[in-house]
Each structure stands twice: as C-alpha cells, then as structure tokens.
C-alpha cells in the first residue's frame, strides 16, 4: 500500500505532522495533541463520524483555530477525537482551500502555495546534487556549500556538508 502523505505544519504553538486524507469529510486532531495545545475549549459536535470500515469514532468536541503550512496560515475547524495521527486534514480543509495533491511534484498545493510532502517512513537516500558554483575540497576535509537536489520536488534547496568519498575518485557525499 502507498505510504500516508504528511505535511509539516503548526497548530496553535505546536509543530505537527498533518496527514492528508482526501477520503475524510472532516479534519481531525487527536485528543493527545489537543491536550498538548492546553486543551482549549471545545464546542459540541452534532453528528457522528465513522472510519472507512464503519467503526464509530469517539468525538470529544470541535474547535476552530489556524493551521500554519509553510509560511501561510488558514482557518480550520478541527474535530477532536481518539485517532492515531496527531492531525488529519480532510475535505473540510482541502476543498474550500482549493487544495491539490501533486504526486509528481511531491507537494500539497494550497491556493498558490506549495507545501512539500514529508514521509516519516522514507529513509534518506542518495541523489544527485547540483552545486551552486565551483568548489575545491581537499581530501579528508569538509566544506559547507549550497546546491539543489536533482529531484522532481520543487522545494529542494539544500545546505549540507560534502565529503570526498575514498577510495572512489570523483565521488562526494552530502550529509
């Protein structure tokens, strides 16, 4: 199965990994994360929510706040419930904000903003790096340089440490 799609964000003053779920009608926060926010006052939620396999979800209440994704913030109504993920952005957020999930660019497009996907299960891997200029790095030394990853993802500016990798000539390792 495909891994879940997450984006990094902020709800209240707390960082959160928000799961993108276009199959959910509503946006949810876990009770645990809501408590980290200081348990702000909740309003009664009129209705019931079921999982994809028709199980009821235990709802604590609902509140409105802002979610920050990238450098922008949006109003969002969250239902606080007993869920595993800290935050789930469903169609109550995705549809009114004209969101697009771009698998080819690995971004969530929210209006004219692009928020890169974050997958906590993906391990770092080797990929080509385009260095911004000429750099001479002697053997057994380090240099901090800027460059761009050669990937399909648009937000790929990186700063890292590049080390010559011996015994292979002309191979550099970014860490």
């Amino acid at each position: 199965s495909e891994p879940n799609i997450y984006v990094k964000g902020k709800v209240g003053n707390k960082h959160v990994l928000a799961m993108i779920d276009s199959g959910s009608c509503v946006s949810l926060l876990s009770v645990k994360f809501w408590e980290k926010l200081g348990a702000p006052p909740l309003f009664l939620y009129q209705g019931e929510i079921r999982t994809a396999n028709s199980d009821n979800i235990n709802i604590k209440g609902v509140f409105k706040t802002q979610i920050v994704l990238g450098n922008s913030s949006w109003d969002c109504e969250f239902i606080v419930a007993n869920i595993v993920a800290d935050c789930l952005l469903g169609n109550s957020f995705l549809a009114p904000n004209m969101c697009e999930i771009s698998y080819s660019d690995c971004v969530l497009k929210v209006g004219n903003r692009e928020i890169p996907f974050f997958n906590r299960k993906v391990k770092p891997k080797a990929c080509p790096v385009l260095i911004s200029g000429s750099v001479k790095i002697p053997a057994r030394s380090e240099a901090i340089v800027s460059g761009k990853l050669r990937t399909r993802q648009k937000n790929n500016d990186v700063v890292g440490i590049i080390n010559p990798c011996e015994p292979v000539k002309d191979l550099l390792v970014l860490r």
Side-chain angles (χ1 to χ4, degrees), residues 38-168:
L42 298 175
F43 297 97
L44 181 64
Y45 180 74
Q46 299 289 337
E48 95 182 0
I49 300 173
R50 294 184 181 272
T51 64
N53 64 358
S54 296
D55 291 339
N56 277 327
I57 294 179
N58 185 9
I59 299 167
K60 191 153 184 84
V62 63
F63 79 107
K64 290 184 180 182
T65 188
Q66 295 226 313
I67 184 164
V68 176
L69 301 172
N71 296 323
S72 300
S73 63
W74 291 269
D75 292 329
C76 190
E77 182 177 272
F78 286 104
I79 294 169
V80 177
N82 291 321
I83 61 171
V84 176
D86 283 339
C87 178
L88 185 145
L89 289 176
N91 284 320
S92 64
F93 175 82
L94 300 171
N97 290 298
M98 307 292 286
C99 295
E100 294 178 34
I101 300 169
S102 175
Y103 292 99
S104 61
D105 294 330
C106 297
V107 294
L108 172 67
K109 296 178 182 180
V110 187
N112 62 355
R113 308 288 197 291
E114 294 186 348
I115 314 303
F117 292 170
F118 178 83
N119 187 330
R120 57 186 173 183
K121 293 182 180 180
V122 172
K123 301 291 184 225
K125 64 178 182 177
C127 64
V129 177
L130 298 173
I131 304 300
S132 300
S134 287
V135 178
K136 289 186 179 186
I137 304 172
R140 295 179 178 66
S141 61
E142 309 182 328
I144 298 176
V145 299
S146 64
K148 289 195 178 280
L149 296 176
R150 288 189 57 196
T151 67
R152 290 184 170 191
Q153 189 167 340
K154 290 183 179 179
N155 300 328
N156 61 6
D157 291 332
V158 294
V159 174
I161 299 172
I162 296 181
N163 301 103
C165 183
E166 294 179 12
V168 181

Side-chain angles (χ1 to χ4, degrees), residues 4-72:
N4 293 322
I5 298 171
Y6 293 87
V7 291
K8 290 182 180 181
K10 212 172 183 185
V11 174
N13 60 351
K14 302 290 183 193
H15 292 277
V16 69
L17 283 179
M19 182 189 303
I20 305 304
D21 187 354
S22 62
S24 175
C25 295
V26 295
S27 297
L28 300 150
L29 282 182
S30 71
V31 171
K32 184 177 174 184
F33 188 79
W34 170 75
E35 289 171 346
K36 285 182 187 177
L37 294 174
L42 298 175
F43 297 97
L44 181 64
Y45 180 74
Q46 299 289 337
E48 95 182 0
I49 300 173
R50 294 184 181 272
T51 64
N53 64 358
S54 296
D55 291 339
N56 277 327
I57 294 179
N58 185 9
I59 299 167
K60 191 153 184 84
V62 63
F63 79 107
K64 290 184 180 182
T65 188
Q66 295 226 313
I67 184 164
V68 176
L69 301 172
N71 296 323
S72 300

